[in-house]
């Protein structure tokens, strides 16, 4: 099992780098070429969501992206450090209600991002806790086509 970990400050300009790294590692792990655009888009949405949450809640810790190659799957976890930031993908519900409308806008963007991710990725799980949230996405690999990450 090979793992690549990426941490970046919550700046929108770093999302593109995360997308490029994810696509490159997915390709080396053996993810089908036809699916790489979906990987890029899903990672971009998940990272944009984490950046937005960090900036909205003034969290200064980095956004975390963990890319893992297993025997038959490739997975990506995008984590934020905003307590209670996860939501249910099945219901695409979550966020925090606010009286000022801005918070409601953030919630709407959050739900839209999760809806896009769930449309792109068949195997996705969103969790949250006191330490923050994680979006875990995975794709099948073709073992014969995989090139070791080492």
């Amino acid at each position: 099992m090979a793992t690549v970990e990426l941490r970046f400050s919550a700046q929108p300009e770093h999302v593109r780098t995360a997308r490029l790294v994810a696509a490159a590692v997915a390709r080396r792990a053996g993810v089908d070429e036809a699916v790489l655009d979906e990987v890029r888009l899903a990672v971009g949405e998940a990272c944009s969501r984490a950046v937005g949450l960090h900036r909205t809640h003034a969290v200064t810790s980095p956004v975390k992206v963990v890319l893992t190659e297993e025997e038959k799957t490739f997975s990506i976890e995008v984590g934020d450090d905003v307590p209670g930031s996860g939501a249910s993908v099945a219901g695409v519900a979550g966020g925090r209600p606010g009286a000022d409308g801005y918070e409601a806008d953030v919630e709407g963007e959050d739900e839209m991002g999760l809806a896009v991710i769930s449309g792109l990725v068949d195997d996705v799980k969103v969790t949250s806790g006191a330490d923050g949230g994680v979006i875990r996405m995975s794709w099948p690999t073709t073992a014969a086509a995989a090139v070791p990450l080492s």
Side-chain angles (χ1 to χ4, degrees):
M1 177 168 73
T3 301
V4 174
E5 187 171 331
L6 175 65
R7 292 175 185 257
F8 62 90
S9 58
Q11 300 296 324
E13 57 267 20
H14 298 310
V15 172
R16 183 174 189 270
T17 302
R19 289 177 53 185
L20 293 171
V21 169
V25 175
R27 179 178 284 119
R28 289 186 56 96
V31 173
D32 191 303
E33 286 288 325
V35 180
L36 291 178
D37 281 339
E38 294 172 9
V39 171
R40 268 190 290 274
L41 289 171
V43 169
E45 285 293 332
C47 288
S48 292
R49 176 182 181 272
V51 166
L53 286 168
H54 276 225
R55 293 171 66 99
T56 299
H57 297 281
V59 174
T60 59
S61 59
V63 172
K64 296 173 286 295
V65 182
V66 178
L67 306 105
T68 306
E69 176 190 353
E70 298 174 38
E71 188 175 328
K72 295 181 181 181
T73 62
F74 172 71
S75 64
I76 299 174
E77 292 183 358
V78 177
D80 64 71
D81 290 338
V82 177
S85 62
S88 165
V89 172
V92 192
R96 290 155 201 79
D100 65 354
Y102 177 73
E103 195 73 25
D105 287 346
V106 170
E107 180 180 333
E109 289 175 19
D110 185 40
E111 290 178 10
M112 181 62 79
L114 290 172
V116 169
I117 292 167
S118 66
L120 290 168
V121 185
D122 291 335
D123 185 12
V124 61
K125 182 177 179 184
V126 181
T127 58
S128 68
D131 296 332
V134 175
I135 297 177
R136 185 180 194 284
M137 305 167 280
S138 63
W139 296 266
T141 60
T142 340
V147 178
L149 294 175
S150 53

